[in-house]
Amino acid sequence: MGKIRVLPEQLVNQIAAGEVVERPASVVKELCENSLDAGARVVRVELGDGGLSRILIVDDGHGMSAEDARTCLERHATSKLVDAEGLTRIATLGFRGEAVPAIASVSRFTLTTREPTSDVGTRVVVEGGRIDRIEEIGAPVGTSVLIEDLFFNTPARRKFLKRAETEAGHASEAVIRLALARPEVGFTLVSGGRQNLSAPAAQQDPRERIAAALGKEVFEHLVEVDGRLGGTRVRGFVASPDYTLSTARGIYTFVNGRYVRDRGLIAAIQRAFSDAMMPGRQPAAVLFLEVPFEEVDVNVHPQKLEVRFTDSRATFEAVFHAVQGALRRSPWLTARRHAAAGPQGGTATDSSFAGAPASETAGGYSASLPQRDSGPVPLSMPFGGVPIAPLIAMGMGMQGGPPRADEIPPPGFFHTLRVIGQFARTYLVCEAPGPQLVVIDQHAAHERLRFHQLREAFRSRKPQLQSFLFPASVDLPLAEARVLADHLEEVRQVGFDAEPFGGTTFALKAVPAPLVGCDYRVLLTDLAGELMQVEKGRAFESAMEEVLASMACHSAVRAHQSLSQEESRALLDALDAIDFNTRCPHGRPVAAQIPLAELEKRVERR
């Protein structure tokens, strides 16, 4: 007897399910795509336990006949592809005919459907790939699919699923991608009995759909993108650098209407923003690429999340130039350039640090560092006519590489410094015993101080809170709002007293005292981003260190901000009261030192 044999159809479907159905989000994606291909104008998704126990998808598409309802459960049965020639011109979201039988083989599956021309509908009940019954039933036009007990008959796969909250997040993201791709279709998402997304059809203004997915605040920041290079057209919207995220989660790219995950496309968008955004931040963008069908292969990934371009370099360049062109034309970027101009008309290199920092009274430091329009504090020493800028550049370059342990200043070092003045409203120029010149980056120094204070409060679980007389309303992107709602206790440990206030809005009752006056949307969005990583297995303490570093950065005194002698003195004295590190939490040096001997050598004093 031969050793090679044909596997049973049911086992073949379960093997296919391992590729197509990775988790509940895969089921949501595949079935919603079928709804869209069926011409649905409204799609409703309901999740129970993040989709682990129940997934219901209802649409008002053209439905199926009784014959098609049965046939669709057979592997590779599809109405969207006829021959091999069609593979070169895929215009639908689905085309392989694998998803429905694969899903039915690993769940308790109920399909209810009716065509507009039929008086009755059809119900097909399947359990673990075996058809239990097919019956006529009264039903509205369209299709509904109920998935229960996903992976009940493949316990090994079910064991590797994450917590219900995590799976709900992935499923929500799948719906968001489809909702962004098809703004003319209404989407509703209900998870755990709570409506997470309500996005009516937005035919008139696609920005409404983007705001529903990324948060209402993004609406006023959106700038239209529309460009063409060669055979590729790029259209959509990008948000101004004033609306940023800590990760690239806010970048959505679609090729011929299909969401794709391509590092090259993301890199092209990031490159276009490189001169307009603070390092460490990521832009928000929703871009649609129209590429000739024959120049893109969509049949290269089991879940169709990746594509292959005939000329990927040309495609990436089309995206880069389209986004860059939109940024150059946008009125807000022009305004930012004018606002960033220094007192001599020069352009500030760190114009993304905008807004006034908060006052602080903690750890012996009581210095208010308000934004002022006055010019820089004048330098009192001309250094023999040698311009100060080359000296500072020389000093910052001398340090070269990570500081050694013996470079950490001795206790009380900053108290010994005499403040000479402020250069470029960014650097404090000081004289130290020795003598030597010390140049301090005011933002990096204050950021280091803030990070120390926030970290100590977090470790003690006793954050110093500033309560509001009236709660502040903060609207967040859909995914981030879901995460915060599921992790309110962790949010409070960091110092935010927030409660869901309907939809994606939160009522913020109190914040950490050093953060009063900051952009709470950015801070909560960053916090949610790190909590997403915790859901994926990252240690909570490690993730919160990143959050605290972000908080410190947003609340620290800015570059290009004038400081008085008293404020400069208070900042330096406060540095002596903490476990000082030579670099800020993001790795930038706080200070550079220039010994007198080196200075005299540079100015050729014998």
Side-chain angles (χ1 to χ4, degrees):
M1 181 178 178
K3 297 180 180 179
I4 299 177
R5 54 187 176 274
V6 178
L7 295 175
E9 185 68 18
Q10 182 181 352
L11 181 56
V12 170
N13 285 337
Q14 289 185 351
I15 293 173
E19 295 181 348
V20 178
V21 189
E22 180 184 8
R23 61 196 333 152
S26 307
V27 175
V28 171
K29 170 185 176 294
E30 295 291 345
L31 295 181
C32 284
E33 286 183 347
N34 284 346
S35 295
L36 296 176
D37 285 339
R41 309 303 297 178
V42 176
V43 178
R44 180 180 177 85
V45 180
E46 297 181 11
L47 304 175
D49 296 322
L52 299 175
S53 63
R54 182 175 183 270
I55 301 172
L56 175 64
I57 297 176
V58 182
D59 69 57
D60 63 346
H62 52 60
M64 290 181 283
S65 66
E67 179 184 358
D68 286 344
R70 182 184 182 107
T71 305
C72 75
L73 291 165
E74 298 179 11
R75 195 158 183 244
H76 301 309
T78 178
S79 62
K80 304 163 190 175
L81 187 63
V82 178
D83 51 33
E85 183 72 18
L87 282 174
T88 63
R89 300 188 63 83
I90 297 294
T92 55
L93 296 173
F95 58 88
R96 293 178 181 145
E98 288 185 314
V100 171
I103 294 168
S105 71
V106 292
S107 68
R108 295 184 171 91
F109 177 100
T110 303
L111 169 69
T112 305
T113 185
R114 181 168 78 88
E115 291 181 306
T117 57
S118 177
D119 295 330
V120 296
T122 302
R123 173 179 288 169
V124 183
V125 180
V126 184
E127 183 163 340
R130 294 188 178 90
I131 296 179
D132 182 65
R133 63 183 183 275
I134 301 177
E135 58 190 7
E136 290 186 348
I137 189 173
V141 173
T143 301
S144 70
V145 181
L146 174 63
I147 310 297
E148 296 177 295
D149 299 330
L150 185 63
F151 297 130
F152 79 96
N153 56 349
T154 53
R157 176 163 293 275
R158 188 178 179 92
K159 181 177 66 175
F160 285 99
L161 295 177
K162 304 298 183 180
R163 295 190 313 164
E165 294 85 0
T166 304
E167 296 301 339
H170 288 291
S172 298
E173 182 65 19
V175 176
I176 289 173
R177 293 168 179 173
L178 292 168
L180 288 172
R182 300 291 293 272
E184 74 279 7
V185 177
F187 282 85
T188 301
L189 171 63
V190 178
S191 179
R194 185 174 66 227
Q195 183 168 287
N196 288 349
L197 174 67
S198 177
Q203 294 179 320
Q204 301 300 320
D205 191 345
R207 292 180 301 169
E208 295 176 0
R209 178 57 54 84
I210 298 175
L214 297 184
K216 289 182 288 188
E217 285 196 24
V218 74
F219 188 92
E220 63 185 40
H221 295 281
L222 292 174
V223 175
E224 188 171 8
V225 175
D226 194 347
R228 182 184 293 275
L229 185 63
T232 300
R233 182 186 179 189
V234 182
R235 59 183 179 83
F237 294 86
V238 296
S240 79
D242 293 324
Y243 184 99
T244 64
L245 299 170
S246 59
T247 68
R249 198 203 62 77
I251 299 178
Y252 293 87
T253 54
F254 302 84
V255 176
N256 294 339
R258 182 191 308 279
Y259 172 81
V260 299
R261 183 178 56 206
D262 190 289
R263 293 182 180 178
L265 295 178
I266 293 175
I269 296 169
Q270 293 169 331
R271 184 159 59 98
F273 272 88
S274 60
D275 293 334
M277 184 167 290
M278 175 182 172
R281 306 299 298 176
Q282 294 289 344
V286 179
L287 296 180
F288 299 89
L289 281 69
E290 297 174 10
V291 183
F293 289 114
E294 61 273 12
E295 294 183 11
V296 57
D297 185 359
V298 302
N299 192 29
V300 297
H301 190 273
Q303 298 177 32
K304 303 185 287 290
L305 289 175
E306 299 176 6
V307 297
R308 184 177 294 124
F309 300 105
T310 301
D311 189 349
S312 58
R313 182 174 180 179
T315 303
F316 300 155
E317 285 301 305
V319 172
F320 169 75
H321 288 293
V323 175
Q324 188 183 60
L327 294 178
R328 287 176 175 173
R329 295 190 303 270
S330 59
W332 45 259
L333 191 59
T334 303
R336 285 169 65 88
R337 291 196 186 102
H338 289 307
Q344 308 301 325
T347 300
T349 60
D350 202 5
S351 61
S352 57
F353 292 144
S359 301
E360 173 164 316
T361 305
Y365 178 48
S366 179
S368 176
L369 303 174
Q371 179 101 20
R372 291 197 303 275
D373 296 327
S374 58
V377 178
L379 293 170
S380 58
M381 299 177 65
F383 291 95
V386 179
I388 189 68
L391 297 178
I392 291 180
M394 172 192 72
M396 298 302 282
M398 285 171 56
Q399 298 300 313
R404 302 186 308 272
D406 59 1
E407 291 179 336
I408 296 177
F413 169 78
F414 292 98
H415 184 71
T416 67
L417 300 182
R418 182 175 70 87
V419 180
I420 299 172
Q422 185 187 29
F423 175 69
R425 294 191 295 173
T426 299
Y427 303 102
L428 303 182
V429 182
C430 308
E431 180 183 8
Q436 58 184 345
L437 191 67
V438 178
V439 181
I440 296 176
D441 184 325
Q442 65 190 35
H443 175 75
H446 197 208
E447 184 180 358
R448 185 73 224 178
L449 173 64
R450 281 287 171 85
F451 177 71
H452 170 86
Q453 295 166 335
L454 290 168
R455 184 183 60 187
E456 291 304 305
F458 172 71
R459 288 176 175 176
S460 67
R461 297 299 193 269
K462 295 180 180 179
Q464 295 181 340
L465 300 184
Q466 175 65 57
S467 298
F468 298 139
L469 183 60
F470 300 103
S473 177
V474 182
D475 188 71
L476 299 177
L478 176 62
E480 281 75 2
R482 192 275 308 170
V483 171
L484 287 189
D486 290 338
H487 296 274
L488 290 178
E489 181 57 37
E490 290 91 337
V491 171
R492 293 188 181 99
Q493 290 182 27
V494 183
F496 291 95
D497 185 2
E499 291 184 356
F501 196 61
T504 58
T505 302
F506 283 76
L508 194 57
K509 299 179 179 180
V511 301
L515 305 184
V516 173
C518 292
D519 188 332
Y520 305 130
R521 180 199 64 81
V522 172
L523 295 176
L524 289 176
T525 300
D526 288 357
L527 174 56
E530 293 301 329
L531 288 172
M532 289 180 186
Q533 300 305 312
V534 172
E535 289 185 341
K536 296 176 182 178
R538 185 179 183 184
F540 177 69
E541 298 287 334
S542 174
M544 292 307 99
E545 289 271 321
E546 296 291 337
V547 171
L548 298 177
S550 176
M551 291 180 179
C553 180
H554 284 288
S555 63
V557 62
R558 313 307 190 194
H560 316 298
Q561 178 176 336
S562 299
L563 298 183
S564 68
Q565 287 278 345
E566 293 76 14
E567 291 168 339
S568 301
R569 182 75 264 163
L571 175 59
L572 295 179
D573 290 344
L575 292 175
D576 279 330
I578 67 173
D579 58 345
F580 183 75
N581 187 293
T582 56
R583 293 178 180 265
C584 79
H586 294 103
R588 290 198 303 144
V590 171
Q593 300 182 23
I594 309 173
L596 179 60
E598 179 67 23
L599 178 60
E600 291 184 331
K601 177 181 177 181
R602 293 284 179 149
V603 298
E604 300 182 0
R605 177 179 292 275
R606 303 297 182 186

